[in-house]
Amino acid sequence: MANIAKIFASRAQGVLQAAARQPQVATRFSSSSTNNWEYIKTEVAGEGKNVAVITLNRPKALNALCNGLMKELSTALQQFGKDKTISAIVLTGSEKAFAAGADIKEMVGNTYSQCIQGNFLNDWTEVARTQKPIIAAVNGYALGGGCELAMMCDIIYAGDKAKFGQPEIALGTIPGAGGTQRLTRVVGKSKAMEMCLTGNMIGAQEAEKLGLASKVVPADQLLGEAVKLGEKIGTHSNLIVQLCKEAVNTAYETTLQEGLKFERRTFHATFSTADRKEGMTAFAEKRPAKFTNE
Ligand code: CAA
């Protein structure tokens, strides 16, 4: 825990110092070209350095999700996804904004035919495709595509001043990356309709009450708490965590009977893994399990 404290103390210091300063926590990418991010920052955190932190870093535009940012985010997710030393990923923004939505200025001139032929927003789905657990650590605004991005993650932790909303209606459009679908599944029709048809925002406490966020923490402790959560997940078998994530996600994609069948078969499948055997043996022998992700 002492290491985590050091990491976050140094992050706070960094805010006060030159913006161009090197991050205190070394990135884990071996290829130097992927470290030259323009719109994001990537770090590894946690005592075992097994939690990746991706920070959206376009502060002047409140992390509006321009094409360049979304491409970098996809690339970073793919790289962390392949990195065997990473157990969980935290996605965060700034204290003022997780992300204020798709970049309105970038898309203002888009035409219908361009949207159709370019399959606009199709490349936004990497977050939802990632097999490792992703925790959204949301401070400030999570609006439009920002709220949708948070909802693509597996768990949302909210800073106490976070604000969630789908304000697209005020721009003469509708949510395009899951706002009418994922939000409705989480908060129910009445609340989702209210939010999507008015553009009204909800605060962190309400988001937690509705089940949109799983926890609310003081804004300055948010990242530390999200990393701790990633570390806790990382104490388990990465392989079984992946299967478990897939099973929970199946609940959103299928009927109860189909979902229960999928869960049962996946449960059975864990009996073909070394980690299931090790977990149960360690319990019986009253010792900590040593998982090998096999
Ligand atoms: N796109 C582009 N630029 C944005 C932006 C966005 N979504 N949100 C904020 N910005 C820019 C502002 O234009 C401003 O830039 P300038 O300094 O160059 O003028 C800068 O960020 C700071 O913003 P504000 O001055 O507006 O800050 P504020 O504190 O007064 O207000 C806010 C904050 C309430 C979040 C306000 O910025 C806002 O309403 N933003 C737009 C939110 C929105 O409508 N999001 C939905 C986008 S559409 C979408 O996401 C579709 C989809 O489903 C994928």
Side-chain angles (χ1 to χ4, degrees), residues 58-62 64-65 96 100-107 121 124 141 143-146 148 166-168 171 173-177 201:
R58 210 188 161 207
K60 285 188 185 149
L62 303 185
L65 304 166
K96 177 152 187 195
D103 190 317
I104 299 166
K105 294 167 193 169
E106 193 176 68
M107 66 182 164
L121 299 188
W124 274 41
Y141 296 111
L143 300 180
E148 292 168 318
Q166 296 292 158
E168 290 89 344
L171 299 169
T173 186
I174 72 164
M201 300 179 208

Side-chain angles (χ1 to χ4, degrees), residues 40-60:
I40 63 172
K41 285 191 290 181
T42 55
E43 305 163 58
V44 288
E47 278 188 42
K49 299 220 180 302
N50 62 339
V51 180
V53 178
I54 303 176
T55 305
L56 306 181
N57 185 31
R58 210 188 161 207
K60 285 188 185 149

Side-chain angles (χ1 to χ4, degrees), residues 279-287:
M280 292 188 181
T281 306
F283 175 83
E285 292 176 356
K286 299 187 188 298
R287 61 169 176 82

Side-chain angles (χ1 to χ4, degrees), residues 22-146:
Q22 286 292 313
Q24 294 293 299
V25 188
T27 56
R28 200 176 265 284
F29 298 127
S30 49
S31 161
S32 59
S33 64
T34 54
N35 286 337
N36 296 328
W37 306 117
E38 188 178 350
Y39 301 110
I40 63 172
K41 285 191 290 181
T42 55
E43 305 163 58
V44 288
E47 278 188 42
K49 299 220 180 302
N50 62 339
V51 180
V53 178
I54 303 176
T55 305
L56 306 181
N57 185 31
R58 210 188 161 207
K60 285 188 185 149
L62 303 185
N63 292 330
L65 304 166
C66 61
N67 290 329
L69 186 151
M70 292 310 291
K71 281 204 176 82
E72 288 189 1
L73 178 58
S74 291
T75 304
L77 285 168
Q78 283 163 10
Q79 290 181 348
F80 283 132
K82 282 186 213 143
D83 186 337
K84 290 208 163 95
T85 67
I86 295 299
S87 301
I89 300 166
V90 172
L91 179 61
T92 195
S94 69
E95 193 149 339
K96 177 152 187 195
F98 176 74
D103 190 317
I104 299 166
K105 294 167 193 169
E106 193 176 68
M107 66 182 164
V108 68
N110 284 8
T111 64
Y112 176 65
S113 63
Q114 279 170 342
C115 287
I116 295 283
Q117 286 167 36
N119 210 354
F120 184 41
L121 299 188
N122 188 46
D123 52 355
W124 274 41
T125 48
E126 194 59 39
V127 175
R129 273 204 300 264
T130 301
Q131 291 180 307
K132 289 182 182 173
I134 308 192
I135 302 148
V138 176
N139 265 329
Y141 296 111
L143 300 180

